[in-house]
Amino acid sequence: MQSLEKYMLPCLNKKLFGVECMGCGIQRSISLIFQGDFIAAFKMYPAIYPLIFLFIFIGSNMVFKFKHSNIVTTALAILTAVTIVTSYLIKIIN
């Protein structure tokens, strides 16, 4: 998995403006999940797990058609967005 890091895309926002974006760390976080380092993946990008749950739910809803799926999808999307913004603000403050 170490060889995957040389294929990761650079953050254009960080390269052009010197400031990390809200998505910085997601590629390395996914790489860490594939390596089995779940705690480091969370530390790298805290929104990775709500994001994974959101995508899993949306994908499984396409197959199984859950009742009240709109409410669950909306709640998971809000949770993911709040986690992304909160972790970004914490990263900027520190």
Side-chain angles (χ1 to χ4, degrees), residues 6 20 24 45 51 60 77 84:
K6 63 182 175 181
E20 290 187 359
C24 277
Y45 192 73
L51 195 60
S60 61
I84 290 170

Side-chain angles (χ1 to χ4, degrees), residues 7 23 25 28 60-61 65-66 72 76 85 88:
Y7 297 108
R28 284 188 172 74
S60 61
N61 187 46
K65 303 294 182 199
F66 298 114
V72 175
L76 284 172
V85 171
Y88 180 70

Side-chain angles (χ1 to χ4, degrees), residues 45-90:
Y45 192 73
I48 190 69
Y49 294 117
L51 195 60
I52 289 172
F53 289 134
L54 176 64
F55 286 141
I56 288 173
F57 183 78
I58 290 172
S60 61
N61 187 46
M62 288 180 180
V63 176
F64 298 113
K65 303 294 182 199
F66 298 114
K67 188 176 182 180
H68 305 295
S69 63
N70 291 340
I71 295 170
V72 175
T73 303
T74 303
L76 284 172
I78 290 171
L79 174 67
T80 302
V82 167
T83 307
I84 290 170
V85 171
T86 303
S87 64
Y88 180 70
L89 290 174
I90 290 171

Side-chain angles (χ1 to χ4, degrees), residues 13-29:
N13 196 44
K14 192 171 183 176
K15 281 198 176 246
L16 294 175
F17 305 114
V19 179
E20 290 187 359
C21 68
M22 289 190 194
C24 277
I26 194 167
Q27 291 180 95
R28 284 188 172 74
S29 180

